[in-house]
Amino acid sequence: MDFSNTEEQQMLQESVQKFVYKSYDFDTRKQIIASEKGFSQENWDLFAELGWLTVPFKEDDGGFGGSAVDLAVMMEEFGKAMLVEPFIATAVLAGGVISEQGSAEQKAELLPKIMEGSLQLACAYAEQGSRFNLANIKTSAVVEGDTVILNGSKTAVLNGSNAEILLVAARESGAATDSEGISVFMVDASSAGVSIQSFANVDGKKSAEINLKDVSVPVAQRLGASGSALQALQDGVDRATLAVSAEAVGAMESLLHKTVEYSKTRKQFGTAIGTFQALQHRMADMFIECQLARSIVIMAAMKLDGGESALEKTKSVSAAKSRIGRAIQKVGQEAIQIHGGIGMTEELDVGHLFKSVTAAEIMFGNTDYHTQRFASL
Amino acid sequence: MNADFTAEELQFEIEVREFLQNDFPAEYREKVDAGIRLSKDELVHWQKILYKKGWAASNWPVEHGGTGWSATQKHIFATEMGLIGAPEPVPFGMKMVAPVLMAYGSDEQKQRFLPDILESNVWWCQGYSEPNSGSDLASLKTSAVRDGDEYVVNGSKTWNTYGQYADWIFCLVRTDTSVKKQEGISFMLIDMKTPGITLKPIVLLDGHAEVNEVFFDEVRVPANNLIGEENKGWTYAKVLLTHERTNISGVPRGKRRLAALKRLAGNTDDGFGGTMLENSAFKTKLAQVDIELQALEYSELRTLAALSVGKAPGPESSILKIVGTELAQEMDELFVDLAGYNCLPFVPEQFEDGFQGEAVGPGSSAAAALSYFNNRKLSIFGGSNEIQRNIISKAVLGL
């Protein structure tokens, strides 16, 4: 048993820390969010150069063959500084789905481009009526000869505004919530009939609502066999769930640290507010939440890497996301409360960390959803 | 990063499991499962079985007859004991007074007391809290005044667990009233048969007199029963506290109780044609407890891994006490939930050993409320959970 970082994990961690220290302070982040793309291409190129974009990929796919623990270690550092670059959307989620579901040719065509930083992707799976049920897909895919016609609309498409290729989950057969009949198609974002409404989420990350009207795609753009994509989607989303949970652990760490430091300097009634027991116990509880959150993310990562059954892996991801979600509400809300009015302002980073973890709580299924999913598996 | 045991540790796990399967008496196991309290004789009998195996003192060094186990081995042993429901040795001798004796006692004191603790020949109890000294333990007033070769002790101790069975009591007493409160306290061992000691049982909410008030009236204690130096008792007691915070999370016992909850829920009607395991409100609460137990387990493993590479147990382990006790209390709430009306009958004697009358309610459902009441103690004793939060905010957060 050894819970310390391996040498590789240590290197990854230090590499992200160094980058953040040099090029990702709070003001720089603000400028990046305000830019047209909403992320920095320069940073993205650097991520590729540093090899970060290969971490989520298997060695067979030409990747670094990173474990889930490696990924979690990295994402925690991303979370501390609230990086908005679409690492999860492109490399973890979309890359993961292609790696699971794509043919050898499809993988050979796309994965190297992701890893070298020249391709942005987005996975369009959620719909207005589906909430967090991945199997609930109404977007239709009708095969006509060599082409497929897609109709429907997608919501919460992370990185949807910057992606050159959209991975669109659509139904070829079956009723709206059947697990069979779902396929994923690679759709050129500039195709006729694709309309993209772009915006930033509360955490500053770019997202989109996407409408598909009679979009015509060659059948060859389907990932894998017809109607068989749900498992790959689920695995990709599970891994992305772990990644976003680890990001939240990092962001909560920042929230706790900033809150404790603030309470040592902010004076009221002639004394630092951190000397008040009413606040001390709340910060002690924040600390406990941060520790439990880290423990359960490590557990889920270890189980994803280990020899457990697919069911156990999925269960551990839901256990982690459920527990993380409770920690997020507690730590986020208390951080604002203890900061008082200044915590409510746009100018201070604490409020932005709160917004980041709030987005993380909802992303890939909120606390209630994952609690129920855990209970039902 | 990995949570795996080594091959030797896995082998040890098997050895412990097999020993417990074979040697923890089946009749005790049945009683534990049925929520019936083991008697003093039964507890001592079980401890002597452990002694024969050489496993009585998992936390002692080999030189005193302990196992000399690593932190991980101790964890494995405690886990297997908890999973099967075997009671841990009564802590007052083995885990509380013995480490103080080893660290600060004279050679004569070690030879006199340690072997009988190891063999479970002598039952110890604790004299720390007083009616007016709870969380502020250092304000204790029971006095010990030197008179020739003896001390004369006056005062009273409370929340004294199982003092009715005890042969000896270890006490914190005030030997100097003129200095800062922490600096006038001494650590003293007192024979419970000494004239002037009386015990008054305190019946708790579950109807059981688990604790006592102990009165000292002109009790004469030989001066060589003092541990270490006079007025250093607070330091001794504190050092002990920070070193005994592993295996306090109760994860193994929690796992056993969780499994029991699931079994019971599957056998309990929800009143609408299904079982409580299908009841969505109950199911959600059960899932949350299940998840919390996993978060706690991995927190404990992280602490353990840090210990096994030689780091000192930090105040972070206060987390294990807070979360472990609050989780155990939540489980009690779920047992009460499941019992419904069946937790209302107050018939505590039916869970005592040797009860001959007609039991009320199915299974041990009537024990649910008793356990719920009794386990409110968990967040109060061993340094209340508020004291633990003080420790975290001072020692970890630097507030």
Side-chain angles (χ1 to χ4, degrees), chain B residues 35-284:
Chain B
I36 293 168
R37 217 182 301 274
L38 296 184
S39 68
K40 176 188 176 178
D41 288 348
E42 288 168 333
L43 287 170
V44 170
H45 174 226
W46 166 229
Q47 284 181 209
K48 282 185 179 281
I49 294 174
L50 286 172
Y51 170 71
K52 234 179 97 191
K53 175 75 181 168
W55 289 356
S58 65
N59 62 323
W60 288 21
V62 177
E63 57 166 316
H64 294 299
T67 58
W69 283 338
S70 69
T72 306
Q73 282 178 304
K74 284 186 237 176
H75 167 80
I76 290 171
F77 182 68
T79 300
E80 294 301 319
M81 292 268 281
L83 289 176
I84 203 170
E88 292 269 336
V90 176
F92 308 107
M94 211 77 84
K95 287 201 164 164
M96 300 175 111
V97 77
V100 173
L101 275 164
M102 287 175 206
Y104 306 107
S106 66
D107 287 340
E108 187 268 331
Q109 286 169 333
K110 288 180 202 172
Q111 279 157 23
R112 185 171 159 210
F113 294 110
L114 291 176
D116 279 335
I117 295 176
L118 187 66
E119 286 187 50
S120 296
N121 294 332
V122 169
W123 188 295
W124 284 82
C125 67
Q126 183 189 40
Y128 276 17
S129 296
E130 296 183 5
N132 289 312
S133 300
S135 289
D136 179 15
L137 183 59
S139 70
L140 58 92
K141 289 200 170 59
T142 295
S143 68
V145 178
R146 186 74 183 241
D147 179 22
D149 286 345
E150 295 176 323
Y151 285 95
V152 181
V153 178
N154 279 288
S156 67
K157 294 288 177 181
T158 193
W159 312 131
N160 162 270
T161 301
Y162 289 147
Q164 63 268 43
Y165 301 147
D167 307 300
W168 280 79
I169 183 168
F170 58 94
C171 287
L172 291 177
V173 292
R174 183 153 306 282
T175 37
D176 190 343
T177 51
S178 66
V179 290
K180 226 177 109 198
K181 61 184 178 180
Q182 288 86 353
E183 288 161 11
I185 292 171
S186 298
F187 196 104
M188 194 172 277
L189 314 178
I190 305 176
D191 188 333
M192 288 292 278
K193 290 185 294 292
T194 319
I197 297 181
T198 48
L199 232 70
K200 190 182 129 202
I202 303 171
V203 178
L204 297 181
L205 297 177
D206 62 352
H208 182 65
E210 183 176 81
V211 288
N212 304 275
E213 194 167 355
V214 187
F215 299 92
F216 299 85
D217 182 17
E218 298 291 314
V219 175
R220 302 192 77 85
V221 180
N224 64 7
N225 284 10
L226 183 82
I227 296 286
E229 287 176 55
E230 203 179 76
N231 297 327
K232 289 278 169 62
W234 183 254
T235 321
Y236 305 157
K238 242 176 60 178
V239 167
L240 169 71
L241 283 176
T242 49
H243 277 84
E244 281 304 320
R245 291 243 173 78
T246 51
N247 300 331
I248 57 164
S249 67
V251 167
R253 186 174 142 78
K255 283 185 175 173
R256 218 173 122 259
R257 295 180 82 205
L258 182 71
L261 274 169
K262 286 179 181 169
R263 266 198 316 274
L264 195 58
N267 292 324
T268 302
D269 292 330
D270 70 350
F272 295 91
T275 70
M276 287 300 285
L277 204 52
E278 295 144 9
N279 176 290
S280 71
F282 186 80
K283 212 168 126 177
T284 303

Side-chain angles (χ1 to χ4, degrees), chain B residues 313-375:
Chain B
E316 288 88 348
S317 52
S318 290
I319 295 175
L320 303 180
K321 199 269 170 171
I322 296 174
V323 181
T325 53
E326 290 177 0
L327 184 59
Q329 291 173 334
E330 273 179 59
M331 288 198 191
D332 278 302
E333 290 170 30
L334 294 185
F335 277 111
V336 167
D337 263 8
L338 282 181
Y341 283 133
N342 290 325
C343 73
L344 294 179
F346 187 68
V347 194
E349 59 274 18
Q350 68 177 321
F351 301 108
E352 297 293 338
D353 193 33
F355 175 72
Q356 299 292 335
E358 194 184 339
V360 182
S364 51
S365 55
L370 304 182
S371 174
Y372 168 69
F373 296 141
N374 183 274
N375 277 341

Side-chain angles (χ1 to χ4, degrees), chain A residues 11 74 123 153 160 173 204 224 262 272 304 377:
Chain A
M11 275 166 54
M74 227 178 123
C123 189
S153 44
S173 64
Y262 180 75
L304 282 183
L377 287 170

Side-chain angles (χ1 to χ4, degrees), chain B residues 288-320:
Chain B
Q288 278 167 348
V289 163
D290 194 342
I291 290 167
E292 192 74 350
L293 189 60
Q294 297 182 28
L296 179 62
E297 180 181 13
Y298 272 73
S299 298
E300 185 173 35
L301 290 177
R302 285 172 56 204
T303 308
L304 187 65
L307 277 180
S308 59
V309 294
K311 289 183 186 149
E316 288 88 348
S317 52
S318 290
I319 295 175
L320 303 180

